[in-house]
Amino acid sequence: MSQYYFPIVFVVLLEILRLAQSHPFLFNSGNQQRRAQVEWKTPEDNWTAEAAPRSIYPLLQNQYNKHQLPPTNRYEIIEGDEDEQVLRRMHEAKQNATARTLFYSNKDESHLPPLLTKTIKYFNLQQVAYELETSVMSQVSCTACKAGAGLLQHYIRTGKSKEEIIKMIYQYCVNLKIQSARVCEGVSQLFGVEVIYVLKRITIGPDEICSFIIGDACGDIYNPYHEWEVEFPPVPKPDPRDLGLPKEAAPVFKVLHLSDTHFDPYYAEGSNADCNEPLCCRLTNGRPTTPNGAAGKWGDYRKCDTPKRTIDHMLNHIADTHADIDFIIWTGDLPPHDVWNQTKEENLNVLKETVKQMTEKFPGIPIFPALGNHESAPVNSFPPPYVQQVDSSIAWLYDELDVQWRRWLPASVSHTVRRGAFYSVLVRPGYRIISLNMNYCNNKNWWLLLNSTDPATELQWFIYELQSAEFAGEKVHVIGHIPPGHSDCLKVWSRNYYKIVSRFESTITAQFFGHTHFDEFEVFYDPHDLSRATSIAYIGPSVTPYNDLNPGYRIYYIDGDHDETTRLVVDHESWIMNLKEANLYDYPIWYKLYSTRAAYGMKGLRPADWDQLINNMTDSKELFDLYYKHYWKNSPVKPECDYECRKRILCDAKSGRSHDRKYFCEEVEAKIDESNKGWKDWLFSSISSSYVLYKKLF
């Protein structure tokens, strides 16, 4: 999720922003002497989707488990429920407790020298770092991006060596105290080589680069090198049918969704949790300066990932509480956020350790994984198949994924997993899961600047699989990591994906992603009729508390095997652990935060039902506040949400296509603006009336 190397590579220099104004060569080098551009063309790739073998034998055996759907009325505390009694006792103890909780923060406190704080505020570097971390971009990040890209390109064209450029990045990073010396060194070494390699081989300038990476906040600049369209077979689209509600008494599959575990093997209880680095709570962060700065036993709300004991506790709880789950979807991001300090060997060790853990906890249960953006080293680095140099190829990861994933997947997936970490499997007769590698839409993946045209031919293969499924009468669930409507997904890739979902809306009945760490969803619409919702993407909560979150997971109830099955999600539950209470009382409790139909009064979970929920939340702040509580997994440190925040979150829910918010969100934003305007008008009118009355009386 986090992209900490961007503030360093692009924003490392206060000097850059000064040079950007005084040296126009940063953006236009004119007739200056340049080093010759490296001639680079995409190597020929003869791979075809039709050549990939298909999974035709169901992986899941006959449905033996009988599941009961969550009640649709509000959850009530049952007398004798041990967990609820423990919670009551904890809350009673809390009322009488004199000790402070392990988490405390002062948002206004600065750990930087006053002069440097003022300087950084002037140049907005902290805002840039925050925006790049949260993927909520503005013109500030765009300016920094253009300055950084322009300077790097200038140094490359004037003959600076790779070593000189990397050293320059490191020195500015340290001198400006953007990060600690070790983070600066790690980032400059890990990412500098890749960035320089790519920038040497592209012909576009800073405007196009930053529009590509940042998106709408940097202008929608036409770039012919990154405009492409997938091809559809000449098969007419079936007429969409109105989806009825799944039968209430029909059999269902019970499915566990885990995402973003971010297991940190070096997490240390009592270490410094407030370290001013991208990842804290390790012995290398030193001792905490205050008692409140110590890392909790079960995790921490600050920039800390998940200790092994917490993952073990969660998996044991799931194995006991949900012993009847039929299968698991696992949507990636296994390693921690120490992106400056990662190696291929360490990331592979995390992969192997986590796969072993899952295999031991859930023996005999099928698991369907998807690849996250943190599995690579460096993070976000996923070169397409045409990059075959030993030091740059991604084969080291994909080959090992094939080995590890084959514990649950058939041999037929090896062909596509080793090519691009995507696959298709038949789960039950008439029911297929397709796992996509969403890193080929990741705009932090620098390799895509070379050529973003359907990397690894993944989307063309996706169309082939969906068309085959349509012919066979199969329903499909899509799983992946980065949601296609998220700002981290390339606009051109997302646009093509949206077309595919629209074309195969009768085949794709649900989508499942992770990456954001929040508990949320995205609705897809008919591109020609925004009043008609066509598909729904579920975005599962993270296991990691990084940051300001409670750990969580999802349980889905999916329409099962019967003659009239829709394969829709019938209902889902979100379960969390209150990290604050767990650390305070050393007693973690996992509990159901909510079930969807009961919480929001929804009749069903069809795309139209989710669209109606967005409309209801637009009109009702009370309903939105409930959603916001669930969005943050009931975190006690969640920020307040003003009307701009409300617009952003509801717009996210309407945006299954990235960097196109104006198209999807105009109506929602106008309604919220009007309601906010009405409140302001009422307040102004009241004050004015009071003033007039005062003048008359006195």
Side-chain angles (χ1 to χ4, degrees):
M1 178 183 173
S2 61
Q3 319 298 344
Y4 277 101
Y5 67 92
F6 263 66
I8 298 173
V9 173
F10 276 152
V11 196
V12 285
L13 316 174
L14 288 173
E15 195 70 15
I16 286 179
L17 296 177
R18 181 181 64 79
L19 289 171
Q21 296 176 346
S22 58
H23 294 73
F25 62 73
L26 291 179
F27 300 98
N28 181 8
S29 54
N31 297 320
Q32 292 183 2
Q33 190 71 26
R34 296 186 182 183
R35 171 186 279 188
Q37 192 77 20
V38 175
E39 292 294 331
W40 186 87
K41 293 183 179 179
T42 306
E44 187 175 348
D45 185 358
N46 295 319
W47 189 88
T48 61
E50 293 83 354
R54 297 193 80 233
S55 166
I56 58 174
Y57 300 106
L59 290 187
L60 191 62
Q61 300 303 313
N62 291 333
Q63 190 174 347
Y64 297 113
N65 294 323
K66 302 294 183 183
H67 308 293
Q68 186 173 358
L69 289 172
T72 54
N73 57 324
R74 287 194 176 273
Y75 178 73
E76 296 179 358
I77 295 177
I78 302 172
E79 291 298 328
D81 187 316
E82 292 184 4
D83 282 356
E84 294 297 340
Q85 289 180 2
V86 171
L87 279 173
R88 280 201 198 95
R89 288 197 296 271
M90 284 186 172
H91 284 295
E92 289 170 2
K94 180 181 174 183
Q95 298 298 323
N96 301 320
T98 55
R100 302 183 70 180
T101 59
L102 289 175
F103 176 80
Y104 173 79
S105 70
N106 183 350
K107 299 292 185 183
D108 298 325
E109 183 180 354
S110 173
H111 301 280
L112 298 172
L115 179 60
L116 186 56
T117 299
K118 290 180 180 179
T119 306
I120 289 178
K121 281 183 178 178
Y122 176 77
F123 286 104
N124 284 321
L125 292 184
Q126 289 180 330
Q127 180 181 343
V128 173
Y130 172 78
E131 289 179 2
L132 291 166
E133 176 189 345
T134 59
S135 297
V136 180
M137 304 295 189
S138 74
Q139 186 62 41
V140 176
S141 295
C142 179
T143 301
C145 174
K146 289 179 181 179
L151 189 65
L152 286 172
Q153 286 190 310
H154 168 71
Y155 282 146
I156 289 170
R157 289 166 179 165
T158 54
K160 295 285 186 184
S161 69
K162 175 180 66 179
E163 290 73 21
E164 288 176 311
I165 296 173
I166 290 174
K167 183 178 179 181
M168 176 270 297
I169 294 173
Y170 167 76
Q171 288 176 338
Y172 277 111
C173 178
V174 171
N175 292 339
L176 295 174
K177 301 186 185 302
I178 293 174
Q179 276 294 344
S180 65
R182 63 179 186 149
V183 173
C184 291
E185 181 180 9
V187 167
S188 58
Q189 292 294 334
L190 267 177
F191 301 100
V193 174
E194 178 181 306
V195 171
I196 293 168
Y197 178 92
V198 171
L199 290 181
K200 277 185 176 180
R201 287 161 175 79
I202 59 176
T203 57
I204 58 178
D207 287 352
E208 291 84 3
I209 291 172
C210 295
S211 177
F212 181 89
I213 292 171
I214 291 179
D216 285 351
C218 228
D220 188 11
I221 297 175
Y222 175 72
N223 187 341
Y225 295 99
H226 297 285
E227 286 294 331
W228 49 273
E229 302 287 341
V230 291
E231 295 182 1
F232 291 91
V235 179
K237 175 181 175 179
D239 292 333
R241 294 189 303 170
D242 290 335
L243 290 173
L245 290 170
K247 291 186 175 181
E248 195 70 24
V252 293
F253 292 115
K254 186 176 181 181
V255 180
L256 168 66
H257 183 185
L258 294 176
S259 195
D260 298 87
T261 47
H262 290 290
F263 160 51
D264 187 359
Y266 302 107
Y267 185 97
E269 177 187 359
S271 61
N272 186 8
D274 195 13
C275 68
N276 289 319
E277 286 188 344
L279 184 67
C280 305
C281 295
R282 292 176 160 192
L283 290 177
T284 52
N285 298 128
R287 295 181 178 180
T289 56
T290 66
N292 292 317
K297 178 177 180 178
W298 298 96
D300 203 282
Y301 286 115
R302 287 159 286 194
K303 291 182 179 178
C304 304
D305 274 321
T306 321
K308 187 176 186 298
R309 64 166 61 93
T310 302
I311 296 177
D312 284 337
H313 194 279
M314 177 191 70
L315 296 181
N316 286 331
H317 149 77
I318 292 172
D320 292 339
T321 307
H322 307 289
D324 57 343
I325 55 176
D326 294 297
F327 62 89
I328 299 168
I329 53 178
W330 190 21
T331 52
D333 264 14
L334 312 184
H337 285 85
D338 59 337
V339 296
W340 73 94
N341 192 40
Q342 291 177 333
T343 65
K344 295 174 181 178
E345 292 73 23
E346 284 206 352
N347 278 18
L348 289 179
N349 286 338
V350 169
L351 169 66
K352 294 173 185 176
E353 171 71 17
T354 314
V355 166
K356 179 184 176 185
Q357 203 175 22
M358 294 288 286
T359 305
E360 291 174 350
K361 298 296 183 184
F362 304 107
I365 296 179
I367 299 177
F368 302 105
L371 181 64
N373 63 300
H374 275 265
E375 271 77 302
S376 184
V379 67
N380 298 316
S381 177
F382 294 88
Y386 56 71
V387 179
Q388 297 177 352
Q389 298 93 321
V390 175
D391 58 339
S392 300
S393 169
I394 196 67
W396 66 271
L397 176 60
Y398 291 177
D399 289 353
E400 188 60 38
L401 286 177
D402 184 41
V403 172
Q404 298 299 323
W405 289 359
R406 286 279 293 280
R407 296 171 186 245
W408 310 296
L409 304 178
S412 60
V413 307
S414 181
H415 187 69
T416 53
V417 169
R418 287 180 179 262
R419 173 177 172 81
F422 49 85
Y423 63 86
S424 170
V425 291
L426 190 66
V427 181
R428 293 287 298 143
Y431 175 31
R432 180 173 295 273
I433 285 179
I434 296 179
S435 177
L436 295 178
N437 181 356
M438 300 301 289
N439 292 295
Y440 291 138
C441 90
N442 185 353
N443 54 19
K444 308 302 186 297
N445 182 3
W446 278 84
W447 295 101
L448 300 185
L449 278 167
L450 291 172
N451 186 350
S452 67
T453 304
D454 192 12
T457 330
E458 180 181 32
L459 288 183
Q460 208 62 56
W461 166 87
F462 185 40
I463 291 172
Y464 173 77
E465 283 292 322
L466 290 171
Q467 187 62 73
S468 299
E470 183 180 274
F471 285 152
E474 297 170 351
K475 299 299 182 184
V476 171
H477 285 179
V478 180
I479 67 173
H481 182 65
I482 300 174
H486 194 271
S487 59
D488 284 348
C489 188
L490 279 176
K491 183 173 183 176
V492 63
W493 197 99
S494 180
R495 185 183 69 213
N496 279 281
Y497 179 87
Y498 205 87
K499 288 181 179 179
I500 296 171
V501 172
S502 176
R503 164 59 184 85
F504 294 99
E505 64 172 280
S506 299
T507 299
I508 299 172
T509 57
Q511 306 168 57
F512 305 89
F513 300 96
H515 186 62
T516 71
H517 295 194
F518 296 109
D519 188 299
E520 52 181 325
F521 64 93
E522 287 178 357
V523 178
F524 289 64
Y525 296 88
D526 184 336
H528 307 293
D529 180 7
L530 290 184
S531 66
R532 192 175 74 85
T534 60
S535 190
I536 175 67
Y538 297 94
I539 303 174
S542 64
V543 173
T544 183
Y546 191 102
N547 62 313
D548 288 346
L549 295 165
N550 283 316
Y553 66 87
R554 279 246 187 101
I555 295 289
Y556 298 100
Y557 296 90
I558 296 172
D559 203 3
D561 288 346
H562 57 94
D563 291 341
E564 299 178 26
T565 183
T566 63
R567 302 299 184 191
L568 291 169
V569 175
V570 180
D571 206 349
H572 77 65
E573 305 168 340
S574 285
W575 290 65
I576 66 166
M577 178 187 79
N578 188 313
L579 185 57
K580 181 178 179 180
E581 302 285 0
N583 283 334
L584 185 60
Y585 302 108
D586 193 17
Y587 193 96
I589 294 178
W590 297 86
Y591 66 95
K592 182 171 71 174
L593 178 62
Y594 73 99
S595 60
T596 307
R597 292 191 301 173
Y600 302 125
M602 299 172 70
K603 292 182 179 179
L605 271 61
R606 300 163 297 182
D609 298 317
W610 287 104
D611 176 55
Q612 186 58 50
L613 176 63
I614 295 174
N615 293 334
N616 293 343
M617 289 193 291
T618 304
D619 296 332
S620 169
K621 187 176 183 303
E622 182 181 4
L623 183 62
F624 173 81
D625 288 344
L626 177 64
Y627 176 73
Y628 188 68
K629 169 187 171 182
H630 298 156
Y631 178 91
W632 278 90
K633 293 181 280 183
N634 202 24
S635 169
V637 293
K638 67 180 182 295
E640 293 295 323
C641 188
D642 59 15
Y643 85 103
E644 287 293 341
C645 158
R646 185 177 166 199
K647 285 197 298 185
R648 177 179 60 79
I649 289 177
L650 291 179
C651 185
D652 287 345
K654 284 189 74 76
S655 300
R657 190 168 69 204
S658 68
H659 304 288
D660 211 354
R661 300 172 78 87
K662 291 180 181 178
Y663 182 73
F664 291 106
C665 304
E666 185 176 7
E667 183 179 349
V668 166
E669 291 181 342
K671 278 188 176 182
I672 296 176
D673 284 339
E674 186 63 31
S675 64
N676 187 65
K677 178 183 175 184
W679 178 83
K680 288 182 177 178
D681 288 346
W682 173 84
L683 181 61
F684 179 77
S685 176
S686 299
I687 294 173
S688 299
S689 299
S690 300
Y691 178 74
V692 170
L693 180 61
Y694 172 82
K695 293 291 287 183
K696 285 182 178 179
L697 292 175
F698 301 99

